[in-house]
């Protein structure tokens, strides 16, 4: 499978909504639609008005069709507007997803590698919220992410989630 990874642009916002739908596992919550997602205040903050000053991320696009299949992005959310993986006002939160039919081909890993290559120039660390049942947990651990101790959350579907963080040596 041939694909390219390139920086996200404001034109990618519609695809980011689709990726947020996947990342938030909304299909598991019944008949929630993309429209529901766009009006969900706790989730919409991860994409709405994409391309704030410090927004950054990457999109994976299949070749030769140029169909986007995955994205990983960082958004700095502050205490007044914190997200599920909030640690502090200097640590952006990671959101990442790959379309179901393209998972397990290394696309998510490559998207993460691209973000981790540039993030230390801008941030001291990155955080994320993850369900304890998410198989990507092991990937994050291999790449150096650590569970933030003492912060277990009952998520929207009644399962357990926690916050992970990776610190960069400055």
């Amino acid at each position: 499978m041939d694909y390219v990874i390139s920086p996200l642009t404001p034109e990618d916002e519609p695809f980011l909504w689709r990726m947020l739908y996947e990342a938030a596992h909304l299909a598991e919550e019944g008949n929630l639609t993309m429209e529901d997602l766009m009006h969900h205040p706790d989730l919409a903050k991860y994409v709405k008005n994409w391309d704030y000053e410090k927004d950054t991320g990457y999109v994976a696009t299949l070749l030769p069709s140029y169909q986007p299949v995955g994205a990983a992005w960082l958004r700095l959310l502050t205490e007044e507007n914190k997200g599920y993986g909030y640690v502090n006002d200097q640590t952006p939160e990671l959101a990442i997803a790959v379309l179901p039919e393209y998972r397990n081909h290394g696309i998510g890993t490559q998207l993460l590698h691209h973000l981790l290559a540039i993030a230390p120039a801008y941030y001291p660390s990155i955080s994320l919220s993850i369900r304890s049942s998410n198989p990507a947990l092991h990937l994050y651990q291999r790449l150096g992410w650590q569970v933030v101790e003492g912060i277990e959350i009952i998520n929207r579907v009644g399962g357990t989630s926690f916050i992970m963080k990776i610190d960069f040596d400055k």
Side-chain angles (χ1 to χ4, degrees), residues 24-91:
H25 305 278
L26 287 185
E28 296 173 15
E29 294 183 37
N31 295 325
L32 295 177
T33 66
M34 200 70 75
E35 188 73 19
D36 294 327
L37 171 67
M38 295 172 113
H39 290 88
H40 192 297
D42 291 334
L43 292 172
K45 66 180 76 178
Y46 288 95
V47 174
K48 190 174 185 175
N49 300 317
W50 174 256
D51 205 30
Y52 286 143
E53 178 183 340
K54 293 195 174 196
D55 289 344
T56 190
Y58 292 93
V59 61
T61 308
L62 286 183
L63 293 175
S65 67
Y66 290 97
Q67 173 194 349
V69 296
W73 66 100
L74 300 176
R75 183 160 252 192
L76 187 61
L77 300 172
T78 62
E79 188 166 8
E80 296 81 41
N81 189 34
K82 61 185 170 184
Y84 294 109
Y86 177 81
V87 173
N88 59 47
D89 284 3
Q90 293 75 44
T91 302

Side-chain angles (χ1 to χ4, degrees), residues 132-143:
S132 60
S133 59
N134 189 327
L137 172 63
H138 302 295
L139 169 64
Y140 295 126
Q141 290 171 325
R142 277 196 320 271
L143 294 175

